[in-house]
Amino acid sequence: YIKQPTAVGTGGAVSSTDFDASKAGIQVLREGGNAIDAAVAAAAALGVTEPFVAGPGGGGYMVIYLAKTHQVITLDGRETCPAGCTPQRFLDANGNPLPFETARRSGLSVGVPGLPAQWQRAVQSYGRLSFAKVLQPAIAVAKRGFTIDANFQQEEEASLPDLQAFTSSRKLFLTASGQ
């Protein structure tokens, strides 16, 4: 068996777990963006096509290597507890820890997302394009729609009880029959 490249080119490459996300990064490169712009474009598109594992509602770290200066930059975009958060937040009236499902479903355990600020900081400090321009491919995927795969469907079915638990998510994501 001889391995053959599926694509050959110059000027950069983008790889992700999703075709639309990789395409978003490539589009940004073609529009004059650099690797940071492409990485953020791909990550934002993944937030649309793989919302269970990626996206602006979460957090993460970005490691950037600046070849000209041989520097490694790390941007912390992890979620944080809301400003008014204290350890008592997760205790009941008697001072006992809340049951896990109660804390999770009540919304108390939701952190303040860190990725949007991290993406904006990365593009502003190390990219070539505006943050708004870098987000356009992800916005287009969200408006146009995308093909889901078996994994997406499985994740959606597993999350259905969580979506059904809240009026706002039922109204936004589900049919009148709760599906």
Side-chain angles (χ1 to χ4, degrees):
Y1 175 74
I2 298 173
K3 291 185 178 183
Q4 296 292 323
T6 58
V8 177
T10 60
V14 176
S15 176
S16 75
T17 60
D18 179 76
F19 177 76
D20 285 311
S22 296
K23 198 168 139 184
I26 290 168
Q27 178 182 335
V28 163
L29 288 176
R30 287 186 174 144
E31 292 174 357
N34 65 14
I36 302 306
D37 297 317
V40 171
L46 280 172
V48 176
T49 62
E50 295 194 10
F52 307 101
V53 296
Y61 297 97
M62 180 181 276
V63 179
I64 301 167
Y65 177 68
L66 302 175
K68 289 182 183 178
T69 59
H70 305 289
Q71 287 179 283
V72 175
I73 307 294
T74 305
L75 300 179
D76 182 352
R78 288 303 314 185
E79 306 89 340
T80 58
C81 202
C85 187
T86 68
Q88 288 69 38
R89 181 182 189 93
F90 301 101
L91 302 177
D92 66 18
N94 298 320
N96 297 312
L98 293 173
F100 175 79
E101 285 299 320
T102 301
R104 183 176 82 92
R105 288 187 176 270
S106 67
L108 290 174
S109 62
V110 176
V112 176
L115 281 182
Q118 178 204 63
W119 293 345
Q120 194 260 346
R121 188 168 56 242
V123 168
Q124 187 173 37
S125 299
Y126 305 104
R128 289 187 190 143
L129 303 177
S130 72
F131 189 43
K133 180 109 175 142
V134 168
L135 294 179
Q136 288 309 306
I139 293 167
V141 170
K143 286 182 176 180
R144 177 185 76 240
F146 57 95
T147 303
I148 64 168
D149 60 13
N151 188 49
F152 187 99
Q153 183 175 345
Q154 180 183 10
E155 291 285 352
E156 188 67 31
E157 289 171 0
S159 297
L160 186 57
D162 292 330
L163 294 172
Q164 291 170 332
F166 300 97
T167 307
S168 57
S169 61
R170 283 194 310 268
K171 182 178 176 185
L172 183 62
F173 296 112
L174 304 180
T175 64
S177 65
Q179 298 299 306

